[in-house]
């Protein structure tokens, strides 16, 4: 069974640009969550989607947005990039409300 | 809001040593508790979980017991191996709220030397 797939794995952007990250969940998983991981702040929750609806949102500015498609694939977008947005962005999917998340390897974003 | 506090380390041990990583939590409801592990260059993997008070989660020789009275979920292993070197995250989830959101501790980096 294929795991959670995130693309791209690495990317470099400059301040002011925007970026879109993609996540394909495990087949059959309808819930997708996104987390930002940085050395200073650790793992912080961005948002969670279930059946194309945003179910929960973390404390991030409006520059961070996401969506989920009918096939459960998800994308997140960050507009007007800032240096502080440099991080590993992790996507996770789950089958049911057990709190057991399956994480992808992440997309490492560097903002110059 | 809910929060998780864990010893940040880094922790360096010799092979076959005993491991304890402390984790305490603050939550308004009755959360489920988790330990996730992140090996170098990889995403997080669930190591073990406990869903109610006095439950013991175990996997790969690691154990943790949900202690409601002390709001703790300490991770232990009797004899660590070099392959256990990784970053360990304690987390909670209030799944009863209809959300899968996890609140993580800052992580503890473990290095095991041969």
């Amino acid at each position: 069974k294929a795991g959670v797939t995130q693309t791209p794995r690495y990317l470099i952007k400059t301040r002011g640009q925007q970026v879109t990250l993609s996540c394909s969940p495990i087949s059959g998983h309808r819930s997708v969550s996104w987390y930002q991981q940085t050395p200073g702040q650790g793992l912080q929750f961005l948002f969670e989607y279930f059946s194309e609806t945003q179910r929960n949102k973390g404390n991030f500015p409006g520059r961070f947005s996401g969506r989920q498609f009918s096939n459960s694939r998800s994308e997140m977008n960050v507009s007007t990039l800032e240096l502080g947005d440099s991080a590993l962005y992790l996507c996770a999917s789950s089958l049911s409300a057990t709190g057991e998340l399956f994480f992808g390897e992440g997309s490492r974003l560097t903002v110059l | 809001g809910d929060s998780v506090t864990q010893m940040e380390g880094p922790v360096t041990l010799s092979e076959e040593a005993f491991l304890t990583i402390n984790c305490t939590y603050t939550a308004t409801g009755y959360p489920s508790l988790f330990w996730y592990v992140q090996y170098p260059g990889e995403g997080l993997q669930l190591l073990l979980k406990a869903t109610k008070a006095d439950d013991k989660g175990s996997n790969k020789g690691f154990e943790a017991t949900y202690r409601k009275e002390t709001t703790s979920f300490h991770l232990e292993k009797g004899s660590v191996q070099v392959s256990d070197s990784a970053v360990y995250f304690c987390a909670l989830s209030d799944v009863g709220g209809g959300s899968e959101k996890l609140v993580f501790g800052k992580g503890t980096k473990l290095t095991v030397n041969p």
Side-chain angles (χ1 to χ4, degrees):
Chain A
K1 196 174 189 181
V4 177
T5 304
Q6 292 188 244
T7 56
R9 289 291 314 281
Y10 303 91
L11 64 166
I12 300 174
K13 294 286 187 178
T14 57
R15 280 180 299 174
Q17 288 187 310
Q18 73 160 12
V19 66
T20 299
L21 309 178
S22 179
C23 172
S24 294
I26 291 172
S27 178
H29 287 195
R30 295 167 63 189
S31 174
V32 173
S33 304
W34 289 89
Y35 290 80
Q36 181 195 64
Q37 185 177 23
T38 59
Q41 299 299 316
L43 282 152
Q44 293 189 287
F45 172 78
L46 281 159
F47 20 66
E48 176 196 355
Y49 290 89
F50 181 82
S51 293
E52 302 180 66
T53 300
Q54 187 178 84
R55 188 156 64 176
N56 205 343
K57 188 178 189 303
N59 189 26
F60 278 82
R63 299 185 298 107
F64 291 80
S65 63
R67 59 179 175 169
Q68 186 180 32
F69 301 95
S70 58
N71 62 357
S72 294
R73 192 176 69 85
S74 177
E75 288 182 348
M76 66 163 283
N77 183 278
V78 187
S79 62
T80 320
L81 285 166
E82 301 177 359
L83 296 178
D85 297 333
S86 295
L88 180 66
Y89 290 88
L90 291 166
C91 171
S93 71
S94 67
L95 181 60
S96 59
T98 61
E100 181 174 351
L101 303 186
F102 294 82
F103 284 83
E105 294 181 320
S107 292
R108 184 167 295 283
L109 170 65
T110 302
V111 181
L112 302 176
Chain B
D2 295 351
S3 65
V4 174
T5 303
Q6 64 178 105
M7 54 187 286
E8 293 189 18
V11 174
T12 302
L13 297 173
S14 297
E15 208 164 23
E16 299 184 2
F18 183 85
L19 169 71
T20 298
I21 301 177
N22 291 335
C23 171
T24 58
Y25 68 91
T26 301
T28 52
Y30 299 93
S32 294
L33 301 175
F34 307 84
W35 278 99
Y36 279 81
V37 59
Q38 186 175 34
Y39 298 102
E42 299 183 12
L44 278 72
Q45 303 174 22
L46 177 66
L47 181 59
L48 54 83
K49 68 176 183 180
T51 58
K52 61 183 187 297
D54 299 324
D55 268 1
K56 177 185 281 188
S58 61
N59 186 26
K60 301 181 181 179
F62 290 90
E63 292 183 340
T65 301
Y66 190 143
R67 300 288 188 199
K68 189 167 181 289
E69 64 275 14
T70 54
T71 61
S72 65
F73 193 55
H74 304 321
L75 182 68
E76 296 183 335
K77 186 175 185 182
S79 177
V80 294
Q81 306 299 313
V82 172
S83 57
D84 294 326
S85 297
V87 181
Y88 292 82
F89 294 91
C90 185
L92 68 80
S93 176
D94 184 10
V95 296
S99 170
E100 298 275 15
K101 174 185 174 182
L102 287 175
V103 176
F104 287 92
K106 289 291 182 72
T108 302
K109 183 175 182 180
L110 169 66
T111 301
V112 181
N113 295 318

